[in-house]
Amino acid sequence: MPTFTSLISAGELAEHIDQCLVVDCRHELARPEAGRDSYQQAHIPGAFFMHLDEDLSSAQTGSNGRHPLPDPATLAASLAAIGLRPGRQLIAYDAAGGMVASRLWWMARWLGHDAVAVLDGGIDAWTRAGFPLTAELPTPPAPAETSWVKTGQQPVVDRQAMLENIDRQALLVIDARGADRFRGETEPMDAKAGHIPGAVNRPFTQNLRDNGLFKPPAGLRQEFAALIGDRSATQIAHSCGSGVSACHNLLAMASAGLDGAALYPGSWSEWSSHDELPVATGD
């Protein structure tokens, strides 16, 4: 089968599903168990479930954000336990336009596994196309080995680098949150409202068409080019609320051929928990 490295359509997944490791990443921030409950009721055949809080994040300390990155070895072991091995196609899906699935997409690449893609349109696109769901839980295979893992294969910036960047402006920071949260008009989850000084706003929902599918690569490339100007992708850092929806913008850029941008994993939930850090509001 061909290797998919950004997005895969429902039809393409159906054609190659027997050769793929499929992971259900459905999650609701307000109801953390909703994703697992939905998975147990009905999911794409053969799919395993990974929980955003339990599998795709590490423990919160109160100052490291709401979804800190997990230990790479722990993440690699979790993926190996459901059968990920070198070269095997990994597919992630959700019911949120790819917001959570893109987190797993980025994290697999962070471990050095490039054969990973997000199901375009998620489970809704799968069912609209007439493909089946099941409540049958897959049997985990014998765990694969993890010696192939190469940690740190995607660029990451930390809080100190983001602070220094306010003056240096070596990186353009793109914030994936909604415009009202970016401007500081509302903040339903984090310690204070606003954004990192110097950041610009591109809500991740702008990557999607009305039908929930990603915009075509050419259109995404044009939109991001208008935002970043003559900067290269390596001069971009993505942020959001907790390092999740920022991955959606990273995926959109990769789909558009603009790969190589960095992630600020702690994002606003980490930044806003430190009273000494500056906050900007407005556009």
Side-chain angles (χ1 to χ4, degrees), residues 9-71:
S9 71
E12 289 167 331
L13 176 57
E15 181 180 357
H16 301 291
I17 194 167
D18 291 341
Q19 299 161 276
C20 298
L21 172 60
V22 182
V23 177
D24 187 316
C25 300
R26 283 178 285 178
H27 187 81
E28 294 181 21
L29 293 175
R31 295 195 303 136
E33 289 308 307
R36 181 181 281 114
D37 291 344
S38 296
Y39 168 78
Q40 291 174 343
Q41 293 168 14
H43 53 265
I44 293 175
F48 291 88
F49 180 77
M50 296 190 81
H51 196 285
L52 175 61
D53 296 335
E54 300 168 11
D55 302 306
L56 306 183
S57 305
S58 63
Q60 300 177 23
T61 64
S63 61
N64 64 346
R66 285 183 281 108
H67 294 108
L69 290 180
D71 173 72

Side-chain angles (χ1 to χ4, degrees), residues 61-260:
T61 64
S63 61
N64 64 346
R66 285 183 281 108
H67 294 108
L69 290 180
D71 173 72
T74 301
L75 174 63
S78 296
L79 289 167
I82 58 175
L84 187 65
R85 59 181 184 271
R88 187 177 187 190
Q89 182 69 62
L90 174 62
I91 305 297
Y93 74 87
D94 60 30
M99 183 189 74
V100 184
S102 63
R103 165 87 167 201
L104 177 54
W105 169 84
W106 183 89
M107 293 172 76
R109 300 175 85 221
W110 181 53
L111 296 180
H113 188 84
D114 295 325
V116 56
V118 169
L119 174 60
D120 196 6
I123 195 168
D124 292 338
W126 178 266
T127 55
R128 280 200 309 267
F131 298 124
L133 298 175
T134 184
E136 182 178 352
L137 300 181
T139 301
E145 52 86 23
T146 60
S147 62
W148 56 271
V149 170
K150 299 177 182 178
T151 59
Q153 297 304 294
Q154 291 298 306
V156 172
V157 291
D158 61 15
R159 185 175 70 251
Q160 183 60 35
M162 294 292 277
L163 178 61
E164 294 171 359
N165 188 65
I166 293 174
D167 291 328
R168 294 177 58 209
Q169 290 295 294
L171 298 170
L172 176 67
V173 179
I174 300 178
D175 190 319
R177 293 176 299 158
D180 56 344
R181 289 184 68 196
F182 177 82
R183 291 192 297 261
E185 296 167 2
T186 183
E187 182 45 67
M189 288 176 278
D190 295 319
K192 61 187 74 167
H195 60 265
I196 298 169
V200 298
N201 188 213
R202 179 181 169 86
F204 79 92
T205 52
Q206 292 183 5
N207 300 323
L208 303 174
R209 292 177 276 180
D210 291 342
N211 60 4
L213 300 179
F214 274 74
K215 294 175 179 176
L220 287 170
R221 187 178 184 89
Q222 184 176 25
E223 291 180 17
F224 275 101
L227 183 64
I228 70 177
D230 59 0
R231 297 176 181 85
S232 69
T234 57
Q235 295 172 296
I236 308 300
H238 288 278
S239 179
C240 58
S242 62
V244 178
S245 61
C247 296
H248 200 279
N249 276 344
L250 280 156
L251 174 58
M253 286 188 67
S255 172
L258 298 169
D259 209 354

